[in-house]
Amino acid sequence: MPITSEAGFICPSDFNCMGYAVPASIGAKLAQPERDVVAIVGDGAFTMTCMELLTASRNNIGVVVYVFNDGELSQIAQAQELPYNRKTCTIMGGLDIAGVAQATGAEYLEILENDACPNVAQEALKIARSGRPVIVNVLIDYAKKTAFTKGTVQTNFKRFPVGTKMRFLGRAISRKITG
Ligand SMILES: Cc1ncc(C[n+]2csc(CCOP(=O)(O)OP(=O)(O)O)c2C)c(N)n1
Ligand SMILES: [Mg+2]
């Protein structure tokens, strides 16, 4: 993702703490009201702090929150599927994102296909600039493994001592065979 301006990107890069995006975007907009502020957040992380949008509505803080909605904690599911050959507890119970918008007074938009991106993004910015927060529900398909998943699995595996490597590999293979 290209970052084209100074101080143009903030994230909780220490422990990648979920729940950061919505309140952080509100804080950023309060600090620099003349700039557009856009948050990108997974549906799991959004669930943690989405009600903060009520604060944004009440105070006319126009942020745009793009929720990457796949119904799962995908980053964890992808990392677990390889060694465990199944999903453990990563499938969520279908958050009604339009309902969150209604509950908090935010505007609700959707991106259901790639082609919709430019128009919806323009519309979202327009509404946000008028002082109303906007939730954009973005349907995401994580059928392919993310670069993060590939990287962390490889890096962690490489760091294991030989004995642990063998143990993990043996378990993964036997789970693949026995299902
Ligand atoms: C507070 C907190 N708890 C747990 C984690 C571990 N964790 C990292 S990614 C992730 C799943 C994120 O799911 P979602 O927000 O839906 O994003 P997706 O991976 O599906 O795009 C979890 C549980 C974390 N980073 N922060
Ligand atoms: Mg998700």
PDB file of all heavy atoms in Angstrom, residues 65-70 97 109-112 117 136-140:
ATOM      1  N   VAL A  65     -14.568   4.186   7.660  1.00  0.00           N
ATOM      2  CA  VAL A  65     -14.035   2.917   8.167  1.00  0.00           C
ATOM      3  C   VAL A  65     -14.372   1.807   7.166  1.00  0.00           C
ATOM      4  O   VAL A  65     -15.542   1.474   6.969  1.00  0.00           O
ATOM      5  CB  VAL A  65     -14.635   2.580   9.554  1.00  0.00           C
ATOM      6  CG1 VAL A  65     -14.117   1.228  10.041  1.00  0.00           C
ATOM      7  CG2 VAL A  65     -14.313   3.680  10.558  1.00  0.00           C
ATOM      8  N   TYR A  66     -13.332   1.287   6.535  1.00  0.00           N
ATOM      9  CA  TYR A  66     -13.518   0.165   5.610  1.00  0.00           C
ATOM     10  C   TYR A  66     -13.386  -1.135   6.400  1.00  0.00           C
ATOM     11  O   TYR A  66     -12.329  -1.420   6.949  1.00  0.00           O
ATOM     12  CB  TYR A  66     -12.453   0.188   4.511  1.00  0.00           C
ATOM     13  CG  TYR A  66     -12.688   1.272   3.485  1.00  0.00           C
ATOM     14  CD1 TYR A  66     -12.189   2.555   3.671  1.00  0.00           C
ATOM     15  CD2 TYR A  66     -13.441   1.016   2.340  1.00  0.00           C
ATOM     16  CE1 TYR A  66     -12.421   3.555   2.743  1.00  0.00           C
ATOM     17  CE2 TYR A  66     -13.682   2.009   1.403  1.00  0.00           C
ATOM     18  CZ  TYR A  66     -13.165   3.275   1.613  1.00  0.00           C
ATOM     19  OH  TYR A  66     -13.415   4.250   0.693  1.00  0.00           O
ATOM     20  N   VAL A  67     -14.479  -1.910   6.453  1.00  0.00           N
ATOM     21  CA  VAL A  67     -14.438  -3.170   7.193  1.00  0.00           C
ATOM     22  C   VAL A  67     -14.219  -4.308   6.198  1.00  0.00           C
ATOM     23  O   VAL A  67     -15.070  -4.557   5.336  1.00  0.00           O
ATOM     24  CB  VAL A  67     -15.754  -3.399   7.973  1.00  0.00           C
ATOM     25  CG1 VAL A  67     -15.656  -4.683   8.785  1.00  0.00           C
ATOM     26  CG2 VAL A  67     -16.070  -2.211   8.872  1.00  0.00           C
ATOM     27  N   PHE A  68     -13.081  -4.981   6.310  1.00  0.00           N
ATOM     28  CA  PHE A  68     -12.794  -6.123   5.421  1.00  0.00           C
ATOM     29  C   PHE A  68     -13.519  -7.342   5.985  1.00  0.00           C
ATOM     30  O   PHE A  68     -13.083  -7.966   6.952  1.00  0.00           O
ATOM     31  CB  PHE A  68     -11.278  -6.356   5.330  1.00  0.00           C
ATOM     32  CG  PHE A  68     -10.583  -5.429   4.368  1.00  0.00           C
ATOM     33  CD1 PHE A  68     -11.159  -4.231   3.972  1.00  0.00           C
ATOM     34  CD2 PHE A  68      -9.333  -5.750   3.843  1.00  0.00           C
ATOM     35  CE1 PHE A  68     -10.527  -3.367   3.080  1.00  0.00           C
ATOM     36  CE2 PHE A  68      -8.686  -4.901   2.953  1.00  0.00           C
ATOM     37  CZ  PHE A  68      -9.286  -3.710   2.576  1.00  0.00           C
ATOM     38  N   ASN A  69     -14.648  -7.648   5.355  1.00  0.00           N
ATOM     39  CA  ASN A  69     -15.614  -8.577   5.931  1.00  0.00           C
ATOM     40  C   ASN A  69     -15.525  -9.949   5.262  1.00  0.00           C
ATOM     41  O   ASN A  69     -15.932 -10.120   4.116  1.00  0.00           O
ATOM     42  CB  ASN A  69     -17.014  -7.964   5.725  1.00  0.00           C
ATOM     43  CG  ASN A  69     -18.108  -8.831   6.284  1.00  0.00           C
ATOM     44  OD1 ASN A  69     -17.854  -9.803   6.992  1.00  0.00           O
ATOM     45  ND2 ASN A  69     -19.332  -8.489   5.950  1.00  0.00           N
ATOM     46  N   ASP A  70     -15.003 -10.915   6.006  1.00  0.00           N
ATOM     47  CA  ASP A  70     -14.953 -12.290   5.484  1.00  0.00           C
ATOM     48  C   ASP A  70     -15.577 -13.283   6.465  1.00  0.00           C
ATOM     49  O   ASP A  70     -15.542 -14.490   6.236  1.00  0.00           O
ATOM     50  CB  ASP A  70     -13.503 -12.707   5.186  1.00  0.00           C
ATOM     51  CG  ASP A  70     -12.692 -12.855   6.457  1.00  0.00           C
ATOM     52  OD1 ASP A  70     -12.928 -12.082   7.407  1.00  0.00           O
ATOM     53  OD2 ASP A  70     -11.836 -13.743   6.507  1.00  0.00           O
ATOM     54  N   ILE A  97     -23.261  -5.605   9.934  1.00  0.00           N
ATOM     55  CA  ILE A  97     -22.517  -4.337   9.859  1.00  0.00           C
ATOM     56  C   ILE A  97     -23.455  -3.168   9.574  1.00  0.00           C
ATOM     57  O   ILE A  97     -23.280  -2.069  10.125  1.00  0.00           O
ATOM     58  CB  ILE A  97     -21.375  -4.450   8.821  1.00  0.00           C
ATOM     59  CG1 ILE A  97     -20.376  -5.504   9.325  1.00  0.00           C
ATOM     60  CG2 ILE A  97     -20.663  -3.111   8.631  1.00  0.00           C
ATOM     61  CD1 ILE A  97     -19.266  -5.832   8.366  1.00  0.00           C
ATOM     62  N   LEU A 109     -22.236   2.015   3.563  1.00  0.00           N
ATOM     63  CA  LEU A 109     -22.035   1.744   2.131  1.00  0.00           C
ATOM     64  C   LEU A 109     -21.448   0.340   1.987  1.00  0.00           C
ATOM     65  O   LEU A 109     -20.915  -0.219   2.953  1.00  0.00           O
ATOM     66  CB  LEU A 109     -21.071   2.771   1.514  1.00  0.00           C
ATOM     67  CG  LEU A 109     -21.456   4.260   1.593  1.00  0.00           C
ATOM     68  CD1 LEU A 109     -20.313   5.121   1.045  1.00  0.00           C
ATOM     69  CD2 LEU A 109     -22.736   4.539   0.806  1.00  0.00           C
ATOM     70  N   GLU A 110     -21.531  -0.194   0.768  1.00  0.00           N
ATOM     71  CA  GLU A 110     -21.007  -1.547   0.544  1.00  0.00           C
ATOM     72  C   GLU A 110     -20.120  -1.589  -0.685  1.00  0.00           C
ATOM     73  O   GLU A 110     -20.390  -0.901  -1.667  1.00  0.00           O
ATOM     74  CB  GLU A 110     -22.158  -2.517   0.256  1.00  0.00           C
ATOM     75  CG  GLU A 110     -23.060  -2.786   1.411  1.00  0.00           C
ATOM     76  CD  GLU A 110     -24.222  -3.705   1.010  1.00  0.00           C
ATOM     77  OE1 GLU A 110     -24.662  -3.658  -0.155  1.00  0.00           O
ATOM     78  OE2 GLU A 110     -24.664  -4.462   1.867  1.00  0.00           O
ATOM     79  N   ILE A 111     -19.096  -2.439  -0.639  1.00  0.00           N
ATOM     80  CA  ILE A 111     -18.342  -2.783  -1.844  1.00  0.00           C
ATOM     81  C   ILE A 111     -18.475  -4.296  -2.014  1.00  0.00           C
ATOM     82  O   ILE A 111     -17.897  -5.075  -1.243  1.00  0.00           O
ATOM     83  CB  ILE A 111     -16.861  -2.369  -1.744  1.00  0.00           C
ATOM     84  CG1 ILE A 111     -16.748  -0.842  -1.698  1.00  0.00           C
ATOM     85  CG2 ILE A 111     -16.064  -2.925  -2.925  1.00  0.00           C
ATOM     86  CD1 ILE A 111     -15.340  -0.305  -1.588  1.00  0.00           C
ATOM     87  N   LEU A 112     -19.257  -4.694  -3.004  1.00  0.00           N
ATOM     88  CA  LEU A 112     -19.528  -6.119  -3.200  1.00  0.00           C
ATOM     89  C   LEU A 112     -18.703  -6.698  -4.338  1.00  0.00           C
ATOM     90  O   LEU A 112     -18.630  -7.904  -4.508  1.00  0.00           O
ATOM     91  CB  LEU A 112     -21.028  -6.340  -3.478  1.00  0.00           C
ATOM     92  CG  LEU A 112     -21.994  -5.752  -2.435  1.00  0.00           C
ATOM     93  CD1 LEU A 112     -23.437  -6.030  -2.825  1.00  0.00           C
ATOM     94  CD2 LEU A 112     -21.711  -6.312  -1.048  1.00  0.00           C
ATOM     95  N   CYS A 117     -15.201  -0.147  -6.280  1.00  0.00           N
ATOM     96  CA  CYS A 117     -14.266   0.564  -5.381  1.00  0.00           C
ATOM     97  C   CYS A 117     -14.197   2.080  -5.621  1.00  0.00           C
ATOM     98  O   CYS A 117     -14.410   2.853  -4.678  1.00  0.00           O
ATOM     99  CB  CYS A 117     -12.869  -0.037  -5.465  1.00  0.00           C
ATOM    100  SG  CYS A 117     -12.773  -1.668  -4.739  1.00  0.00           S
ATOM    101  N   VAL A 136     -17.885   1.345   5.502  1.00  0.00           N
ATOM    102  CA  VAL A 136     -17.969   0.689   4.193  1.00  0.00           C
ATOM    103  C   VAL A 136     -17.739  -0.806   4.401  1.00  0.00           C
ATOM    104  O   VAL A 136     -16.660  -1.227   4.852  1.00  0.00           O
ATOM    105  CB  VAL A 136     -16.931   1.246   3.192  1.00  0.00           C
ATOM    106  CG1 VAL A 136     -17.157   0.626   1.813  1.00  0.00           C
ATOM    107  CG2 VAL A 136     -17.008   2.766   3.104  1.00  0.00           C
ATOM    108  N   ASN A 137     -18.759  -1.582   4.101  1.00  0.00           N
ATOM    109  CA  ASN A 137     -18.684  -3.036   4.222  1.00  0.00           C
ATOM    110  C   ASN A 137     -18.039  -3.594   2.953  1.00  0.00           C
ATOM    111  O   ASN A 137     -18.622  -3.534   1.880  1.00  0.00           O
ATOM    112  CB  ASN A 137     -20.113  -3.567   4.400  1.00  0.00           C
ATOM    113  CG  ASN A 137     -20.158  -5.062   4.584  1.00  0.00           C
ATOM    114  OD1 ASN A 137     -19.138  -5.731   4.686  1.00  0.00           O
ATOM    115  ND2 ASN A 137     -21.367  -5.603   4.641  1.00  0.00           N
ATOM    116  N   VAL A 138     -16.820  -4.117   3.092  1.00  0.00           N
ATOM    117  CA  VAL A 138     -16.084  -4.602   1.924  1.00  0.00           C
ATOM    118  C   VAL A 138     -16.048  -6.125   1.946  1.00  0.00           C
ATOM    119  O   VAL A 138     -15.454  -6.718   2.862  1.00  0.00           O
ATOM    120  CB  VAL A 138     -14.627  -4.071   1.925  1.00  0.00           C
ATOM    121  CG1 VAL A 138     -13.933  -4.431   0.615  1.00  0.00           C
ATOM    122  CG2 VAL A 138     -14.585  -2.572   2.160  1.00  0.00           C
ATOM    123  N   LEU A 139     -16.672  -6.763   0.986  1.00  0.00           N
ATOM    124  CA  LEU A 139     -16.642  -8.230   0.939  1.00  0.00           C
ATOM    125  C   LEU A 139     -15.267  -8.682   0.472  1.00  0.00           C
ATOM    126  O   LEU A 139     -14.817  -8.307  -0.603  1.00  0.00           O
ATOM    127  CB  LEU A 139     -17.722  -8.772   0.003  1.00  0.00           C
ATOM    128  CG  LEU A 139     -19.154  -8.701   0.503  1.00  0.00           C
ATOM    129  CD1 LEU A 139     -20.036  -9.636  -0.319  1.00  0.00           C
ATOM    130  CD2 LEU A 139     -19.274  -9.063   1.984  1.00  0.00           C
ATOM    131  N   ILE A 140     -14.638  -9.493   1.302  1.00  0.00           N
ATOM    132  CA  ILE A 140     -13.258  -9.908   1.026  1.00  0.00           C
ATOM    133  C   ILE A 140     -13.209 -11.428   0.897  1.00  0.00           C
ATOM    134  O   ILE A 140     -13.839 -12.134   1.661  1.00  0.00           O
ATOM    135  CB  ILE A 140     -12.343  -9.478   2.208  1.00  0.00           C
ATOM    136  CG1 ILE A 140     -12.138  -7.980   2.213  1.00  0.00           C
ATOM    137  CG2 ILE A 140     -11.015 -10.187   2.174  1.00  0.00           C
ATOM    138  CD1 ILE A 140     -11.174  -7.444   1.196  1.00  0.00           C
TER     139      ILE A 140
END
